[in-house]
Amino acid sequence: MTDAATPKSELLEMQRTFVKRCAKGEFVEVMEDYYADDAYQIEGDGSRREGKANMIAFEKQFLTQVQKFHGIDIRSIAVASDDGKGNGITMAEYTIKADMIDGSKFWPEQVQVSTWKNGKIIALRFYYDPNF
């Protein structure tokens, strides 16, 4: 239930749209639309990628290894802070479900923490067990 006095969070809506588009398999498109050019991400294993173009190239390469994408089970999406000007922090908890061409399953349960600046994601951190 939303309190009428609670302002609507634009970042929360953007995070919801981000995850829902990923659930449809629009991974690269969502990165193109939402990531800042100088964004970076840190994976659950601690590896780090710098720059939107580099992250998109990595994602495209990863997707060539997917045999079948089963979607994403979204558990929760939240906003930690939102200044109303496109700056803040959002979180999403979900499970990605994909079968890989090598016969393995890519089904990590993860939490994504996104830092936003001027309506674009500038930093992402994924929390998951790298041995899923």
Side-chain angles (χ1 to χ4, degrees), residues 19-27 62-63 65-74 94-101 103-108:
V19 175
K20 286 178 182 177
R21 287 181 62 193
C22 286
K24 294 177 185 177
E26 298 176 16
F27 298 104
F62 176 80
L63 292 172
Q65 301 170 50
V66 174
Q67 180 178 37
K68 181 170 181 168
F69 177 62
H70 299 281
I72 293 176
D73 291 339
I74 303 167
Y94 52 87
T95 302
I96 298 173
K97 296 181 177 180
D99 297 334
M100 308 305 283
I101 58 175
S104 66
K105 293 194 179 298
F106 182 80
W107 287 34

Side-chain angles (χ1 to χ4, degrees), residues 1 39 55:
M1 185 171 182
M55 290 188 290

Side-chain angles (χ1 to χ4, degrees), residues 11 26-27 35 39 46 52 74 83 91 112 114-115 129 132:
L11 290 183
E26 298 176 16
F27 298 104
Y35 287 14
K52 176 180 175 176
I74 303 167
D83 71 356
M91 293 165 273
Q112 170 192 330
S114 302
T115 302
D129 178 355
F132 59 86

Side-chain angles (χ1 to χ4, degrees), residues 27-115:
F27 298 104
V28 172
E29 297 86 353
V30 114
M31 295 169 83
E32 290 170 344
D33 292 344
Y34 286 95
Y35 287 14
D37 289 340
D38 59 347
Y40 70 90
Q41 72 184 45
I42 301 172
E43 292 290 335
D45 63 1
S47 62
R48 182 180 175 117
R49 277 183 283 293
E50 304 269 345
K52 176 180 175 176
N54 185 40
M55 290 188 290
I56 289 173
F58 182 89
E59 190 71 16
K60 286 180 177 179
Q61 175 58 37
F62 176 80
L63 292 172
T64 66
Q65 301 170 50
V66 174
Q67 180 178 37
K68 181 170 181 168
F69 177 62
H70 299 281
I72 293 176
D73 291 339
I74 303 167
R75 288 189 189 75
S76 61
I77 298 173
V79 63
S81 64
D82 181 350
D83 71 356
K85 298 175 186 173
N87 305 302
I89 299 172
T90 59
M91 293 165 273
E93 176 187 26
Y94 52 87
T95 302
I96 298 173
K97 296 181 177 180
D99 297 334
M100 308 305 283
I101 58 175
D102 68 2
S104 66
K105 293 194 179 298
F106 182 80
W107 287 34
E109 295 179 3
Q110 65 185 20
V111 174
Q112 170 192 330
V113 178
S114 302
T115 302

